[in-house]
Each structure stands twice: as structure tokens, then as C-alpha cells.
Amino acid sequence: MARRNGRGRKLSARILISQLLILAITSAIGFVLLAFAQRDQLDRDSEQRALTIAHITAADPQIRQAMESGVDGGIVQSAAGRIQNSSHASYVVVIDLHAVRHSHPLAELVGRPVEESVEVWHGEEVLGSDHGATGGSANAKVPLYGPGGELVGEVSVGIPEKDVLGQLRHELSSFAEFAAIALAVGCTASYVLARRLKRTTFGLELEEIAGLLQDREAMLHGIKEGVIAFDPQGRVSVINDEARRLLGLGTAVGSRLDDLLPDGRLRRALDGTLEGLDLTVLTDSHCLAVNRMPVVLQGRALGAVVTVRDRTELVGLLRELDAVRGLTDALRAQQHEFANRMHTMAGLLELGEHGAALDYAVELSRGDAAPAEAVRDRIANPLMVGLIVAKTTVAAERGVRIVLEQDSRLGEQPGHLRRLLTVTGNLLDNAVEAAQGQPGAAVRLSLVETERAITLRVADSGPGIPPGAAERIFEDGWSTSPDRGTVRRGLGLALVHRLVQRHGGSITVSEGPGAVFTVRFPLPDHDPAPLGTSSTAAPSVLEGAL
């Protein structure tokens, strides 16, 4: 049954058979239409030929004279027979105005009247067909005038229908040969086309192609990863809903990346300029992991497939985990220092040196409170004070000294507070890491608030930024340090850069030894969202990742 319905045949055979049927049917229809058209044309030609013979007969002087005088004597029959024989007409009949025949191929009909009346009383010519005693003929009738110019009769001439059919068969045989040649060429072309289509579809049958399409649609729209497929020319051929959401693309099928995305790390990762696995790319709303895989089938390059995964929440959690781990290490280090102090206090008390123990406790409290008080004198906001003191403590455990510049001034409720905390914490972490292990490792912090802007400056004593890297340092993925722990390098500064620019600020860095980062937020703050909230969902995601 499957074979009978055509499903069991291969795709190439089904295409070939369908095209052959189409060619055969169209050729047959064309041949029939051509036969009818040619028959009509031959009938018209026969009528014109009969008309010419009729005019010649009507111009014969013997026939004209005999018909006008009324004295026939067989003259008309003889002249008409001569013309009929020479022209191979079916008949040449001359009748008078009383519809009596004066000539006819059948001699017994001469002198007898015709059944129809004379049709040329007004001198017109009549063309048509006739089925008389001699069979079917193409007929032409013309008026017959005597030498004096008076109408004396009618001349009717017929061309045998068998002549028309014979000529038609001769011409149609030629047409049939041409049609057969055209059909053969069409069959050959159909066979070549079917083979080519077979190669194009990699040998897959129609049902297999339909099944693959259904599976592809179900897979593309069912998975939680973004998928984009590119053809060999770099145009988007397939894109699923998740990829549109992550990349912010609309109708992208058929477009090139140059028309969809501006130049940047994202476009370079998608088009294959950047090589590697799990390339980390930042957009305004997401932190993405991008992988590109070329597609080659049977030695033919078919383009590439790109997968895009959303790692925004994962990166944020990993950075928070790393920060907590660093704080835990610092607290563990401080535990030993506190234990030493407590042992000293316990020893003094056991020895009864109560005064010495009191003096030692007062000295320790003053020493611990001094850094916090120094920060409070210049920074009025308690959240920023707590951040700076915590970073100073952690940096001290790593052998790095954080110094707050004397010109630092920040009010109790400064603008861009939420963003200042994020940017300051990130830049201090980077600076401490860069200065760690350097002789005289130090980080200098400056926070200056004026009526027009808040300026943050962080300088470290590390090796600095390589020459020519000041622009690339803010690209996601750029870093001079290897990945540490759970944190992927090259994200912090890129996130800071996006955060600052999104709120109308600017960030610059100096090249050479001792990097100096300068951030400027304009005032007034047009997005004064309370700490812990966000004006839009996208910034909160990125700021949380810092």
C-alpha cells in the first residue's frame, strides 16, 4: 500500500515521476491545442485558395460570354472542368440567377437546380464549408458578371477536405517529432534535477525532512539555551525565542550580524572572530556564555551554530561566594591576632598586674578605633564608612595598606549611593589584588563630592596597566590575571564600566606603573533609588554580579 501511494518510493524517483507526468500532460494538451489551431488555419487557407480559384473562374471570358448570352452548348462545363483539373479543386460549379447548374464534376447534375438559393445578389463574397455530393469541402462563392457588367450568376469552388486533413497530418507529424524531442530533453533535465535535489537534501526522503523540521522546532523552542544558526554567508538562518530574549533581537532570520549588533565583544563572539569555549560576554542585561561550533556535513561547510547561556545569576552568586570566602580568610587570620591579645591579657591578670592589663586594653581599643574615626571624619555616610573599614581590614591581612586621601569629602546622603558602594568595592578589590606582594604595597582612595559631581579615584602601587591597554581593559573577558577560585577574570571592570556609563558617568584609567582609576558620577542623581532596590531589572542584575 505504501508503494502504491508513492510513499515507498525514494525522493528522487518521486520527483522524476511527477515531473514526467507533468511534462507528458502538458505536451499532450499543447499538441491537441496546436492541432486544433493548425486545422483552423488550414481551413482558412483552403477557403482563400477556393476564393482565388473562384475569382479566376469568374474572370474566364468564355464563361462570362456564355452565361450572359444564355447560349451554353457545353462551353461552361468544359471551361470549369479545365480549371478544376488544373487547380485540383473538389468542384467548380457555375450557376445562373435561377440557381441552375451550368457545370459540375458530376455530369448528371448539370442543368439541375441547386438546393440553396443564390447568395451573391449584392456582389459579396461568401466563405464557408460545404458537404455536398462530392463530400466535405472548403467553399468559396463569388458573383459572376457578364461582359456587359451585369450579374449573370454565381461561381462556387470547393477544396477537398481530405487535402486539408492530409496536410494537417503531415504537419502534425513534424510537430510530434519536435514534441518528442522536447519531452526527451525535459525528461533528461528532470532526471538531472532530481539527482541534484537528492544531493542537496543529503539523501533524506520527504518524510524524513518533515520529521527533522518538526524535531528541530520542538527542540529549539523547548530548550532553555539560546540557539542561533548561521549559513555559509554569515546570515542568520535559525534563531529560537531564548536567543532573541538574551540578545535583544527581533526578526533576525535572513540578516547579517553587522546589521543586527554593533561592533563589540558580543558580535565578535557570535561571528567567530573570538575563539574559545564558554566565552564570557556582557550585555546591558545579562552575563552570557557563548560557544560557536562550525557545521560540516560530508565535507561541506554549512555555516555554524552558536549556543548562548545566561550566567548572570551564577556569576553573581560565585562572586558573592568568593567575597565571603575572602572575608572568612581574613577573619581566620584575625582570630590568631585576637587570641594573642587575649592570652596577653589573661597572663597580666593571672600575675595580678591589673593596672598594666587595664592600660593594655585601653591601648588596644584606641588602636582599633583610630582607623574608623579617621574615615568618619571625612565620610559621613555610615554605609560607605563600613565598606572602607572592612576593605581596609581585609587588605591589611594581605599586606596592603588602604589610605583615604585628605581631600576626601562625602555627605551623609550622597547621590548615586548604591552605585558608589558597588564601584568602590570592586575597584578596591582590584587595587588590593594588584598591589599585593609589591614592596610598600598601598592603595590610595579619594572620594570628593561637589555640587556638580562625585569623583572617585583609586590608585594602587601595583605593576599598572600595559601600554595601549587602557581602552581594552573595560572589555568583558580582558584580564592580566588567571582565574582564581570560582571567579572568572575580566568581568568586574566591564560591569563597572557599563554601570557608570548607564548613569551618565565616566571612568578612565592611567597606563604605566601604578594604575589610577577615576570615576565621575554627575549630580543631581536622576535615579535616586533606595539602597537594595533598583529602578530597572537589568541594572540590578548586573550590579548584583559585581
Side-chain angles (χ1 to χ4, degrees), residues 255-275:
S255 302
R256 301 179 64 88
L257 281 177
D258 299 349
D259 303 325
L260 298 174
L261 297 172
D263 186 25
R265 181 176 174 82
L266 176 59
R267 196 173 84 183
R268 293 196 293 271
L270 293 177
D271 64 16
T273 303
L274 297 179
E275 298 181 354

Side-chain angles (χ1 to χ4, degrees), residues 30 122 146 167 171 174 182 219 251 301 336 364 401 418 443 493:
H122 301 288
Q167 187 175 358
E171 295 184 0
S174 300
M219 178 190 67
T251 304
H336 297 287
L364 289 179
R401 185 168 56 95
R418 174 166 51 90
V443 174
L493 289 178

Side-chain angles (χ1 to χ4, degrees), residues 89-137:
S90 176
Y91 57 84
V92 176
V93 177
V94 179
I95 63 176
D96 57 23
L97 296 180
H98 301 288
V100 176
R101 299 184 183 95
H102 288 258
S103 67
H104 196 277
L106 300 178
E108 62 271 17
L109 295 180
V110 176
R112 295 184 180 182
V114 297
E115 297 178 357
E116 65 273 7
S117 61
V118 177
E119 301 182 31
V120 294
W121 286 101
H122 301 288
E124 66 275 10
E125 300 172 349
V126 179
L127 299 176
S129 60
D130 178 44
H131 298 277
T134 59
S137 303

Side-chain angles (χ1 to χ4, degrees), residues 160-502:
E161 186 176 4
K162 61 180 181 180
D163 293 351
V164 177
L165 295 177
Q167 187 175 358
L168 177 63
R169 284 193 295 268
H170 175 73
E171 295 184 0
L172 288 183
S173 61
S174 300
F175 294 150
E177 294 177 0
F178 290 127
I181 294 174
L183 183 61
V185 173
C187 293
T188 304
S190 298
Y191 177 76
V192 174
L193 178 61
R195 293 292 300 272
R196 183 175 181 181
L197 290 177
K198 188 69 173 179
R199 290 195 300 269
T200 303
T201 57
F202 301 100
L204 297 176
E205 303 302 329
L206 290 178
E207 291 77 12
E208 294 174 326
I209 295 174
L212 287 176
L213 178 60
Q214 294 174 354
D215 295 341
R216 189 199 73 170
E217 292 299 314
M219 178 190 67
L220 285 178
H221 298 288
I223 61 177
K224 295 302 180 181
E225 289 188 0
V227 178
I228 310 175
F230 298 93
D231 63 14
Q233 287 73 39
R235 293 187 297 266
V236 177
S237 57
V238 175
I239 181 170
N240 67 349
D241 297 336
E242 184 67 6
R244 287 191 176 95
R245 184 185 70 85
L246 295 176
L247 302 178
L249 300 178
T251 304
V253 176
S255 302
R256 301 179 64 88
L257 281 177
D258 299 349
D259 303 325
L260 298 174
L261 297 172
D263 186 25
R265 181 176 174 82
L266 176 59
R267 196 173 84 183
R268 293 196 293 271
L270 293 177
D271 64 16
T273 303
L274 297 179
E275 298 181 354
L277 299 176
D278 286 337
L279 295 175
T280 301
V281 178
L282 294 178
T283 67
D284 290 340
S285 304
H286 304 282
C287 178
L288 306 175
V290 179
N291 285 283
R292 180 183 172 98
M293 180 66 65
V295 178
V296 179
L297 185 60
Q298 297 181 1
R300 294 168 53 191
L302 302 180
V305 173
V306 178
T307 59
V308 182
R309 287 177 289 162
D310 189 0
R311 298 186 56 183
T312 306
E313 295 183 1
L314 178 61
V315 170
L317 291 174
L318 292 178
R319 294 186 70 84
E320 289 183 13
L321 177 61
D322 191 74
V324 171
R325 182 177 298 172
L327 181 59
T328 301
D329 294 339
L331 292 175
R332 186 179 295 111
Q334 287 183 348
Q335 179 184 2
H336 297 287
E337 179 65 22
F338 289 142
N340 292 333
R341 294 178 181 181
M342 293 303 296
H343 292 159
T344 302
M345 288 287 295
L348 290 175
L349 291 175
E350 288 181 4
L351 294 174
E353 300 290 338
H354 300 91
L358 178 61
D359 293 338
Y360 183 66
V362 171
E363 180 181 355
L364 289 179
S365 63
R366 288 177 179 176
D368 292 339
E373 291 300 326
V375 174
R376 287 194 188 97
D377 291 341
R378 298 174 178 84
I379 307 298
N381 183 265
L383 294 174
M384 184 62 73
V385 172
L387 175 66
I388 295 175
V389 172
K391 295 295 184 182
T392 300
T393 303
V394 173
E397 296 298 330
R398 297 182 179 180
V400 180
R401 185 168 56 95
I402 295 181
V403 179
L404 183 64
E405 298 285 5
Q406 296 293 328
D407 62 346
S408 296
R409 291 293 182 273
L410 191 66
E412 187 174 356
Q413 293 296 330
H416 301 281
L417 176 59
R418 174 166 51 90
R419 292 172 281 280
L420 273 176
L421 292 171
T422 300
V423 174
T424 302
N426 189 273
L427 292 182
L428 285 178
D429 288 342
N430 289 345
V432 169
E433 186 173 348
Q436 186 176 358
Q438 301 291 329
V443 174
R444 310 190 72 84
L445 170 66
S446 174
L447 272 169
V448 179
E449 180 182 10
T450 64
E451 293 181 356
R452 296 185 176 181
I454 296 178
T455 303
L456 165 66
R457 185 168 59 256
V458 178
D460 62 67
S461 59
I465 306 301
E471 293 296 332
R472 295 185 293 111
I473 193 173
F474 296 113
E475 292 183 359
D476 38 313
W478 191 94
S479 178
T480 58
S481 303
D483 293 344
R484 173 173 56 85
T486 58
V487 176
R488 293 296 300 272
R489 295 295 182 179
L491 295 181
L493 289 178
L495 290 169
V496 167
H497 184 260
R498 279 172 166 77
L499 177 61
V500 171
Q501 286 197 330
R502 185 182 297 113

